[in-house]
Amino acid sequence: MSESELSKTYHPSGVEKRLYQYWEGRGFFAPVMEKGGSSYCIMIPPPNVTGSLHMGHAFQDTIMDALIRYHRMRGDRTLWQTGTDHAGIATQMVVERQLEAEGKSRHDLGREAFERRVWQWKESSGGTIVQQLRRMGASCDWDRERFTMDRELSHAVTEVFVRLYDEGLIYRGKRLVNWDPVLRTAVSDLEVLSEKEEGQLWHVRYPLADGSGYLVVATTRPETLLGDTAVAVHPEDDRHISLIGAKVILPLTGREIPVIGDAYVDPEFGSGCVKITPAHDFNDYAVGERHGLPVINIFSPDASINENAPEVYRGLDRFAARKKVIEDLEALGLLDKVEPHELMVPRGDRTRAIIEPLLTDQWFVKAGPLAEKAMQAVTEGRIRFVPAHWEKTYFEWMRNIQDWCISRQIWWGHRIPAWYGPDGRIFVCNCEETVYELAAEHYGAPVALERDSDVLDTWFSSALWPFSTLGWPDATLELETFYPTNVLVTGFDIIFFWVARMIMMGIEFTGEVPFRDVYITGLIRDAEGNKMSKSKGNILDPLDLIDGIELEALVAKRTRDMMQPHLAQRIEKATRKEFPQGIPAYGADALRFTMASLATQGRDIKFDLGRIEGYRNFCNKLWNASRFVLMNTQGETNGPHPGEEFMSVADRWILAKLKRVKVDVTRALDEYRFNDYAHHIYQFLWGVFCDWYLEMVKPVLYGEDVAVGSKVAARATMLGVLEESLRLLHPLMPFITEELWLRVAPLAGRSGESIMLAAWPVEDPLAAHEELVEKEMDWVISLVTTVRTLRAELDLPPGKPLRMMVMGGDEAVGRLERQGRIISVLARIESWSRVGEAPGDDHAVGVLEDLRLFIPLSGLLDVEAEVLRLRKGLEKLEKELGTVEKKLTNPSFIERAKPEVVEKERAKEAELKEKQFGLKEALRRLEKMGKAS
RNA sequence: GGGCGGAUAGCUCAGUUGGGAGAGCAUCGGCCUUACAAGCCGGAGGUCACAGGUUCAAACCCUGUUCCGCCUACCA
């Protein structure tokens, strides 16, 4: 490849798709099963098949891919198991909406045809998110992609259901459950979101049956009055205690219901009397059980009033019924008063419909025994949360765990493997043929069975994901190799939905935890800290950050398909203001690097476009540094290495720094400190390699009097360091590192088809002589910086060569002598000389440790300004010296602090004093001079 | 009500076992220096929310307070 192929700036669009196709086509993502040694596996949290990639995915996928690529490079048998989730309710809703557009309902099709239709939809439109994952550079093993409705996974689901049923851990029962009247299905309590809303509190008079007056009860849901079966008061409430046992007439129905005493009532609230509706409130249900109250269900599955209510209300929707009940009460003079009242309203997370507690037959998983073992796994350290504090959340929920309602009254999902005999007897079996045999055996003759029409909660199959995808219940090689998996990367919002349930199921069915570590990520928010949501119009699409998007397209995208069209205008305005130029294409690597650099443990993330721009620039920096290296090595002799004696101190120094960054980066990855990983490699490549080393190497490369061996050594070092750095960066920036590595590696004497298959750099500790080299060059850098600062402060043109005089100890002067060439180039020192005493005319003074620098200004020195500058420096220094001396004069510090700390302070004091002396000396002379003139 | 988290530079945030307050962005000054203006060089900027305590030493440990988030349960 010729250097002309590297453009002056990095253009990710020309690189990413090509390289991804290369990797995928060559099968680089699949684990090498024959290989021995350790294995490494991550299960992707299967995204909804209906979904598209959002920032949360981009974040988590970056982290997973970085870990996967890192371990693959370390030589582990590495599997990133991918796939999607059938998302029962969401998917059914999507397809029903399509049918609706054709003027049909799912009932017109019938169950089987509807299921076929969903499969069709899945084949044609379900692949969006997995294609988007590829754009992120995700190195999942696509040949092993799974879908929770696949035959093998469905088999695992049935198997688990049957075993749990046989163990008595699954049961069917009539219970009050959360009912979504729009979907007409039960949902679990986790799928209900309660939010504060403005409502009203109606105070209703309930006449006493003996005609002696009335009680007032307050309610936020007057329509449920029709199902009341008691009025409760607190048993120690003096105002009402005499009424316990009395009867009241339930308005509008004429039913007589008792007044009961129950400590559930808060005497302080309202009138101290509560209406009890066991069929439509979870608390009331409990009260009803305690007092043996009848349960009157007044709602149909669509939440309209049923035949248990007086005829005038029947068929009314619950909101219409409320209106009529209020009107009727008012007409009867039974409405005492109405107050505004803030209350928590439960809504379905999919439909936003108000959830209704409803008494129905459902299937439940008995959670207690499973939770017990799942908690143990964490207390015993077999599972570790990162950051650790999330285990508190986990325990909190596990301790209060409720039985899990797993049946859903929808069509899309795993059908419950239960059949009912003619007498209602339940047969649960993993095989449809066998179940008829079982029934025949039971009844003594073949009978017709009816299969339960419900399907299972999607999370039921997700809970099995870590082992069902590996072939369970068969004892497969994959299961043996990769289970338990190493780490689960996910958001805290599904710790309950998914993480806890995977742990319960994993332990129950494999005897092993499903994963060792759980890395919990924060939530990605917008720049203002708001949650990203369609209705707020503040969503950023990861693909738009990669590819860029024009303003008009962005506006159109954000305002399309709005649930509340009136918000569109505001969103458009905000979008135009925030992105007046649209969004530029930053590339996948910049996005990934940004995600990692923001991934600090245990905090939400405000996504800042400034960051991604900065990391796009970093890509460009790396690109150009590589361009520089290639320009200076292509067609040149870069090896064999001529031997250590030809290596410059700069060469040795950069190798020492590389050793350090290898250790830092590896540790950061091992500890899930992705921000540290990003920071260290960024700092090394930009702040050390580019800013210093490449500048130091230029005089060697370009110098005419430099030995050939030195030039070869410099080129070899430059190539070697770049090549290893690319490998260190690869897990985070797969594309640009591959593109560069394929050109750099051969020059560095490495071969290989891909950087993703290259070995992770070996870490080894710094030797003593390397630390000395490091120290010397660090000192050189300080010196160069001191001169540059002097220049800037004295307004000396950056390009103007300077003469310099120095006064100081032998070590400093020795360093100066050894590194004179580098210093003269980097600091633009034309010549320097050592002097025994400070020069007598006007010189600017700089101090570095015990070394004093004098820059002659040939009559240009502004004495007053110089005095001011030095005083300022002195002031700052003496402040620092003060705190150090305070410590050292404190006897208890000397006595009680660790010796190395005391030593450090002493050294610091000495260093500061040297510098103080230098500055004072300079000031004294200047002030004398000032007076003289 | 219960639980969890947060408050550090103008902004967004790091800060590992207690031991010299950091980064990026923004800002100011100077540079088109032969890899890179998506760049280079330099500077300024902090009462680590507040009040106590422990310690030779506290951004960090303990107690309390204020404010801000999130989760969870709710008073009908």
Side-chain angles (χ1 to χ4, degrees), chain A residues 432-507:
Chain A
E432 187 149 9
E433 284 161 28
T434 321
V435 80
Y436 280 92
E437 288 169 22
L438 282 175
E441 204 173 302
H442 173 77
Y443 293 109
V447 293
L449 298 175
E450 192 183 339
R451 185 168 186 175
D452 196 302
S453 60
D454 291 352
V455 300
L456 288 162
D457 180 5
T458 305
W459 294 104
F460 190 89
S461 51
S462 311
L464 317 182
W465 183 256
F467 50 93
S468 64
T469 49
L470 296 175
W472 189 94
D474 297 335
T476 60
L477 175 64
E478 284 80 2
L479 199 60
E480 190 194 336
T481 306
F482 296 114
Y483 191 92
T485 67
N486 295 76
V487 59
L488 178 75
V489 177
T490 192
F492 62 87
D493 48 334
I494 54 174
I495 289 182
F496 305 148
F497 272 109
W498 191 49
V499 180
R501 288 165 178 175
M502 272 191 289
I503 297 174
M504 292 193 283
M505 293 297 198
I507 293 173

Side-chain angles (χ1 to χ4, degrees), chain A residues 24 63 178 194 262 280 351 378 406 408 437 449 625 816 820 827:
Chain A
E24 191 176 355
I63 284 166
N178 294 297
S194 290
D262 195 289
H280 300 292
T351 56
V378 176
I406 49 172
R408 297 289 181 273
E437 288 169 22
L449 298 175
L816 202 43

Side-chain angles (χ1 to χ4, degrees), chain A residues 361-373:
Chain A
D361 282 311
Q362 301 290 346
W363 291 89
F364 295 88
V365 172
K366 200 182 279 180
L370 297 170
E372 198 55 46
K373 288 188 217 162

Side-chain angles (χ1 to χ4, degrees), chain A residues 44-58 61 82-85 121-122 125-136 138 140 142 145 147 542-543:
Chain A
I44 202 168
N48 284 359
V49 67
T50 57
S52 54
L53 200 76
H54 59 60
M55 292 293 276
H57 294 127
D61 294 336
T82 189
T84 48
D85 181 317
W121 174 88
K122 191 256 173 187
S125 317
T128 307
I129 195 157
V130 295
Q131 289 311 324
Q132 291 175 320
L133 247 174
R134 287 175 164 91
R135 294 300 318 283
M136 289 293 299
C140 325
W142 294 108
E145 184 180 347
F147 180 51
L543 273 293

Side-chain angles (χ1 to χ4, degrees), chain A residues 263-325:
Chain A
Y264 154 70
V265 180
D266 176 5
E268 304 297 313
F269 187 87
S271 63
C273 303
V274 186
K275 64 195 258 334
I276 301 295
T277 323
H280 300 292
D281 183 284
F282 288 96
N283 288 312
D284 291 6
Y285 187 77
V287 173
E289 281 199 315
R290 282 198 286 275
H291 296 268
L293 298 174
V295 177
I296 301 176
N297 175 19
I298 59 158
F299 286 131
S300 305
D302 63 352
S304 64
I305 304 293
N306 68 15
E307 68 284 357
N308 292 330
E311 200 163 348
V312 287
Y313 302 106
R314 287 179 200 168
L316 289 179
D317 172 76
R318 53 189 163 159
F319 304 109
R322 175 180 299 183
K323 206 171 154 224
K324 179 150 177 60
V325 163

Side-chain angles (χ1 to χ4, degrees), chain A residues 35 69-76 662 666 720 722-731 738 741 745 750-763:
Chain A
K35 190 161 57 182
R69 286 178 184 269
Y70 166 58
H71 281 274
R72 195 183 284 121
M73 289 175 80
R74 293 202 70 152
D76 295 336
K662 279 194 269 193
T666 305
L722 176 61
E723 190 276 329
E724 274 202 278
S725 305
L726 289 172
R727 278 187 275 149
L728 290 173
L729 178 58
H730 175 74
E738 178 77 297
W741 189 84
R750 283 203 155 248
S751 57
E753 289 179 290
S754 165
I755 190 174
M756 62 175 287
L757 304 179
W760 184 253
V762 180
E763 321 154 49

